């Protein structure tokens, strides 16, 4: 789950990171009031969950409350990378001398969080990594020891930060680490962290990505989720405890177990097909879950076939088969289905399904090939 800039910066502020004064507005009039309150030059910033807002015209400076009102109206009518702008942040404008990048993410191969910094801030870090990788300084953080003071100093030295800023930079780096650790984030980023013309460090932009699987530990953060920007089918899936990720292929996948779901997608690809989704309906395959999952899969207009890959362990194959039939009956669809069923009572299950005129398969290879053939329109019984 991604947090908006204003949410990220407010969260950072709790950890002692300096941020500009400001508030969010949902309309131009509010924006004008906030600009009046702030009194000085302000910056109007589109709150959408994508990078590069600046380039897209979603960040503008205003010299008066009237100009703030006008620019806010403009920005609120924009779409940035397909996302409608519903809120703008009005911040006191900073006069910027220098832009720095500072961020933390997980380095999976090092199995540790890594803090990265660069004197080439403002631009996206992926671009710096490609064009000038020598400008990125990295330190790995031992999760048990936390970020050490000397590591923060190493970073400050590595990006040639003037020495009089080192102490406050150390506090910001440590605050960012604490914010990252305590929220179970997978990314916490300040880009840019600026040196103002008054020689202060200030976090002008903020971005956080939280680990969805740890959100249950952070109800206050989970509440900030912006449903406007999520795929409706993914929101629906979450309601039923299904793990669903929409993809752009044409074979819908109904699978119990995350590993099995990944394998199913790989096999479809291997034989030249393209999965329409990742879906883990969890253990067993109750009629209720299968029904909910089937509805979600069928809302995708690209889907031409649904491939079931169900491993019956504790749940017996014949029960699964009856569950599938009940679900189809309820959803009322003519979508072709290919079903691979293995495990306890699999044979009985397959019999029930083929009696109901469904395409069944014994092996995953067989199932994938049949699903691809059906999708291409050249399946022969
Ligand atoms: P992003 O484009 O989505 O990453 O949004 P940012 O908040 O990082 O803003 C992009 C750029 O706009 C920054 O790198 C700055 O150069 C500029 N900018 C943002 N806020 C201010 C501000 O308060 N004053 C000035 N002068 N420039 C700003
Ligand atoms: Mn930025």
């Amino acid at each position: 789950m991604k947090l908006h800039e204003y949410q990220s910066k407010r969260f950072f502020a709790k950890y002692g990171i300096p941020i500009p004064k400001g508030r969010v507005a949902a309309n131009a009039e509010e924006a004008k009031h906030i600009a009046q309150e702030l009194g000085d030059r302000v910056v109007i910033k589109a709150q959408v969950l994508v990078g590069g807002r600046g380039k897209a015209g979603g960040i503008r400076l205003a010299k008066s409350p009237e100009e703030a009102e006008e620019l806010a109206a403009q920005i609120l009518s924009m779409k940035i990378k397909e996302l409608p702008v519903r809120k703008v942040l009005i911040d006191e404008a900073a006069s910027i001398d220098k832009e720095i990048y500072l961020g933390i993410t997980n380095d999976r191969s090092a199995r540790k969080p890594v803090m990265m910094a660069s004197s080439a801030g403002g631009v996206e870090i992926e671009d710096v990594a490609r064009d000038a990788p020598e400008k990125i300084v990295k330190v790995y953080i031992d999760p048990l020891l936390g970020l050490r003071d000397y590591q923060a100093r190493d970073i400050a030295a590595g990006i040639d930060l003037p020495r009089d800023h080192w102490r406050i930079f150390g506090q910001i780096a440590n605050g960012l680490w604490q914010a990252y650790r305590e929220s179970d984030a997978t990314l916490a980023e300040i880009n840019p962290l600026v040196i103002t013309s008054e020689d202060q460090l200030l976090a002008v932009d903020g971005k956080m990505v939280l680990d969805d699987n740890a959100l249950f530990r952070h109800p206050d953060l989970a509440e900030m989720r912006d449903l406007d920007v999520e795929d409706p089918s993914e929101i629906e899936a979450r309601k039923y405890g299904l793990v669903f990720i929409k993809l752009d292929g044409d074979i819908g996948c109904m699978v119990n177990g995350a590993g099995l779901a990944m394998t199913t997608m790989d096999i479809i690809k291997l034989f030249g097909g393209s999965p329409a989704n990742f879906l883990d309906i969890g253990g067993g395959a109750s009629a209720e879950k299968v029904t909910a999952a089937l509805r979600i899969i069928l809302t995708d207009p690209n889907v031409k076939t649904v491939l079931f890959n169900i491993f019956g362990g504790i749940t017996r194959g014949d029960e699964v088969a009856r569950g599938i039939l009940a679900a189809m009956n309820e959803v009322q669809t003519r979508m072709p289905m290919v079903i691979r069923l293995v495990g306890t009572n699999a044979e009985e299950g397959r019999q029930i399904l083929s009696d109901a005129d469904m395409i069944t398969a014994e092996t995953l290879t067989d199932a994938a090939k049949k699903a691809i053939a059906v999708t291409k329109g050249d399946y022969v019984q």
Side-chain angles (χ1 to χ4, degrees):
M1 166 183 156
K2 291 180 184 169
L3 294 187
H4 280 293
E5 175 196 2
Y6 75 95
Q7 297 167 326
S8 306
K9 287 201 298 199
R10 273 188 207 158
F11 192 68
F12 291 164
K14 288 190 192 166
Y15 294 87
I17 296 171
I19 62 166
K21 238 192 243 164
R23 280 202 289 132
V24 276
N27 60 58
E29 203 183 327
E30 258 182 273
K32 183 180 172 186
H33 285 304
I34 297 170
Q36 263 159 356
E37 264 170 46
L38 293 172
D40 214 344
R41 284 197 327 148
V42 293
V43 56
I44 324 278
K45 310 182 80 175
Q47 297 300 288
V48 282
L49 297 173
V50 286
R53 296 165 304 163
K55 268 187 227 152
I59 296 183
R60 307 283 298 274
L61 286 162
K63 285 187 238 36
S64 68
E66 288 69 34
E67 195 182 1
E69 182 179 21
E70 197 185 307
L71 291 174
Q74 272 179 32
I75 295 175
L76 283 164
S77 66
M78 284 172 63
K79 269 191 172 182
I80 300 182
K81 297 183 187 161
E82 300 294 303
L83 295 176
V85 182
R86 303 208 198 270
K87 282 188 185 136
V88 286
L89 173 65
I90 319 296
D91 264 357
E92 217 166 49
S95 67
I96 299 176
D97 269 0
K98 185 164 177 46
E99 305 195 24
I100 295 163
Y101 173 94
L102 184 66
I104 308 180
T105 188
N106 277 328
D107 184 327
R108 285 169 183 262
S109 50
R111 298 199 226 148
K112 277 180 188 163
V114 59
M115 180 172 267
M116 288 178 290
S118 168
S119 56
V123 289
E124 299 205 21
I125 195 68
E126 290 81 0
D127 296 342
V128 183
R130 191 187 55 232
D131 302 333
E134 73 285 353
K135 285 202 178 137
I136 300 178
V137 182
K138 290 184 185 179
V139 302
Y140 290 92
I141 303 174
D142 183 312
L144 298 178
L145 297 175
L147 181 74
R148 314 301 293 181
D149 289 348
Y150 76 86
Q151 294 184 304
R153 280 195 299 274
D154 280 353
I155 293 176
I159 59 169
D160 291 323
L161 188 72
R163 207 168 257 273
D164 47 323
H165 292 302
W166 283 21
R167 201 182 53 81
I168 179 76
F169 179 81
Q171 284 171 18
I172 292 172
N174 191 56
L176 192 65
W177 158 246
Q178 297 296 345
Y180 175 86
R181 195 182 63 87
E182 285 178 22
S183 62
D184 291 310
T186 55
L187 177 77
E189 186 181 89
I190 305 173
N191 187 26
L193 172 67
V194 305
I195 305 178
T196 66
S197 54
E198 296 88 39
D199 221 23
Q200 302 288 317
L201 287 184
L202 194 63
V204 159
D205 189 12
K207 179 173 173 186
M208 286 194 86
V209 182
L210 307 175
D211 184 344
D212 282 331
N213 292 314
L215 270 183
F216 72 98
R217 309 210 289 192
H218 310 285
D220 49 329
L221 294 173
E223 227 171 62
M224 294 184 187
R225 193 188 280 276
D226 185 352
L227 294 177
D228 264 359
V229 297
E230 288 191 14
D231 195 283
S233 54
E234 291 178 15
I235 298 172
E236 183 72 8
R238 203 161 45 235
K239 269 206 307 222
Y240 290 93
L242 310 166
V243 184
F244 177 89
I245 293 161
K246 193 183 163 328
L247 303 168
D248 33 346
D250 49 16
I251 300 180
C253 300
M254 171 92 73
V255 188
N256 64 341
L260 198 58
M262 285 191 272
T263 310
T264 308
M265 292 164 55
D266 279 351
I267 299 261
I268 290 173
K269 282 262 183 201
L270 181 68
F271 291 111
S274 176
N277 64 279
F278 170 94
L279 171 68
D280 174 11
I281 61 173
S286 72
E288 194 204 351
K289 276 197 167 177
V290 175
T291 309
L294 203 51
R295 280 219 175 88
I296 292 165
I297 291 177
L298 295 178
T299 55
D300 179 350
N302 294 334
V303 170
K304 296 205 185 90
T305 316
V306 178
L307 170 58
F308 283 70
N309 187 17
I310 305 289
F311 185 88
I314 299 169
T315 331
R316 299 194 325 259
D318 50 328
E319 277 175 34
V320 173
R322 283 191 204 95
I324 291 172
L325 292 182
M328 300 222 187
N329 201 30
E330 195 166 332
V331 175
Q332 290 290 338
T333 171
R334 300 178 69 88
M335 180 69 64
M337 313 267 170
V338 178
I339 299 162
R340 179 208 180 210
L341 198 56
V342 281
T344 316
N345 287 7
E347 219 145 292
E348 289 88 331
R350 276 197 296 272
Q351 191 58 51
I352 292 170
L353 292 167
S354 51
D355 286 349
D357 286 330
M358 321 222 58
I359 305 167
T360 60
E362 238 173 280
T363 65
L364 186 44
T365 299
D366 186 29
K369 284 182 175 167
K370 281 177 176 165
I372 291 164
V374 173
T375 307
K376 289 189 177 145
D378 48 34
Y379 175 73
V380 277
Q381 200 110 30

